[in-house]
Amino acid sequence: MNAPLAEDRLQRILDLLARHGRLRTTALTEQLGVSGATTRRDLDVLASRGLIRKLHGGAALASQDQQYADRQQLHQDAKTLLAQTALSLLRPGQTVYLDAGTTALAVAQAMKRTPQLTRTLRVVTHGIDVAYELNGECPLYVVGGELYGSTFSLTGPDALDAVRRYRYDVFLVGCTSIDPTRGLTNSNLIEAQQKTVIMTQSTRNVLIADHSKWGPTGFATFATLNQVQDWVTDHATPAARATFEADGVRVHTSVP
């Protein structure tokens, strides 16, 4: 089996499940244009990575890539505190790339509550709901591309081309999980590639992720821990703090 083709197929399955919620194995096989045995093997791989749940005759996304509306309700208070801490790291006049996702949305909402800072910023994002929240609040640039429904984000080749055109003072980046060995991961391969590119274009990369992201293994790695300069979290275990600080990363906790 050709490994890159296999990985592309795995991502295609995740995209289909993100769009439809759950699908029968026969429907996935038809969409992918492969044999039923290949589809079943792919589902076994994704299930072993914790990315999907196998159902009778089909599959659905695992909780880490669950429906966006559901994820908005998770760790809501922690995300609000994280957002306030993240804003304390910004300075007037900066160009800020704000990631997509529910944590990024909390940051956008915090920005809306602090117009004295936000009106001085230039914000770039590929998050649709983030853009909606910040519309009229500051100079705003929205990266175009294909809609990835699980995070309300715009991704793909057009988005990759767009993010390469600019330089950013700060990238406020989220993740699906923080793997102490592999680094920062995302559930979507294309969005992971997009984050990697943005990080190379940014002077300072600030990871915003609550304590629940520490430890699980995600699908696609987009950065090593030492590629971020700051980690903003609600609280960090001694092991997590030590791991980041060993790589020269500043740890900011919103809960003492």
Side-chain angles (χ1 to χ4, degrees):
M1 182 184 293
N2 184 290
L5 291 178
E7 289 298 319
D8 289 345
R9 209 167 52 243
L10 296 180
Q11 183 58 56
R12 176 69 175 149
I13 291 172
L14 291 174
D15 289 342
L16 288 168
L17 292 176
R19 190 172 302 140
H20 298 287
R22 60 180 62 194
L23 284 171
R24 296 190 64 79
T25 304
T26 51
L28 285 167
T29 298
E30 183 178 346
Q31 290 273 357
L32 296 169
V34 297
S35 69
T38 297
T39 301
R40 287 189 290 274
R41 282 197 300 270
D42 287 345
L43 293 178
D44 286 340
V45 171
L46 290 171
S48 71
R49 296 179 182 180
L51 296 172
I52 67 164
R53 291 180 294 115
K54 292 181 68 178
L55 308 172
H56 180 68
L61 288 176
S63 58
Q64 70 170 4
D65 204 20
Q66 66 202 131
Q67 292 299 310
Y68 190 81
D70 294 335
R71 287 191 288 113
Q72 278 187 283
Q73 307 306 313
L74 293 175
H75 310 291
Q76 211 167 21
D77 292 341
K79 288 172 184 174
T80 299
L81 290 172
L82 262 62
Q84 290 300 137
T85 303
L87 288 195
S88 72
L89 303 180
L90 303 182
R91 298 293 175 263
Q94 289 183 321
T95 296
V96 178
Y97 198 109
L98 181 52
D99 208 349
T102 57
T103 301
L105 178 60
V107 175
Q109 291 166 341
M111 285 181 167
K112 200 169 182 178
R113 294 191 295 270
T114 55
Q116 65 277 14
L117 169 66
T118 303
R119 286 172 186 160
T120 74
L121 302 175
R122 179 190 290 111
V123 176
V124 186
T125 187
H126 60 281
I128 293 175
D129 55 347
V130 169
Y132 181 83
E133 195 72 31
L134 291 177
N135 182 31
E137 301 296 324
C138 60
L140 181 65
Y141 296 77
V142 182
V143 171
E146 181 182 358
L147 176 63
Y148 180 54
S150 183
T151 55
F152 274 26
S153 60
L154 297 163
T155 63
D158 290 341
L160 282 171
D161 287 343
V163 298
R164 286 191 181 101
R165 295 191 197 118
Y166 309 112
R167 299 289 301 177
Y168 316 104
D169 295 305
V170 182
F171 178 23
L172 300 178
V173 57
C175 67
T176 298
S177 67
I178 306 169
D179 186 311
T181 303
R182 292 176 58 208
L184 309 180
T185 71
N186 192 267
S187 60
N188 178 276
L189 177 61
I190 301 301
E191 194 167 28
Q193 292 171 344
Q194 196 160 312
K195 291 174 191 278
T196 298
V197 171
I198 299 165
M199 291 182 79
T200 65
Q201 300 292 102
S202 177
T203 301
R204 184 179 185 184
N205 297 304
V206 177
L207 173 66
I208 309 176
D210 66 59
H211 72 281
S212 69
K213 303 294 179 72
W214 174 261
T217 299
F219 177 58
T221 302
F222 65 86
T224 56
L225 300 189
N226 63 6
Q227 287 178 283
V228 300
Q229 285 71 52
D230 301 87
W231 175 31
V232 175
T233 187
D234 49 348
H235 62 83
T237 65
R241 179 182 289 274
T243 300
F244 270 97
E245 290 181 344
D247 278 326
V249 180
R250 294 175 291 269
V251 180
H252 310 266
T253 55
S254 57
V255 177

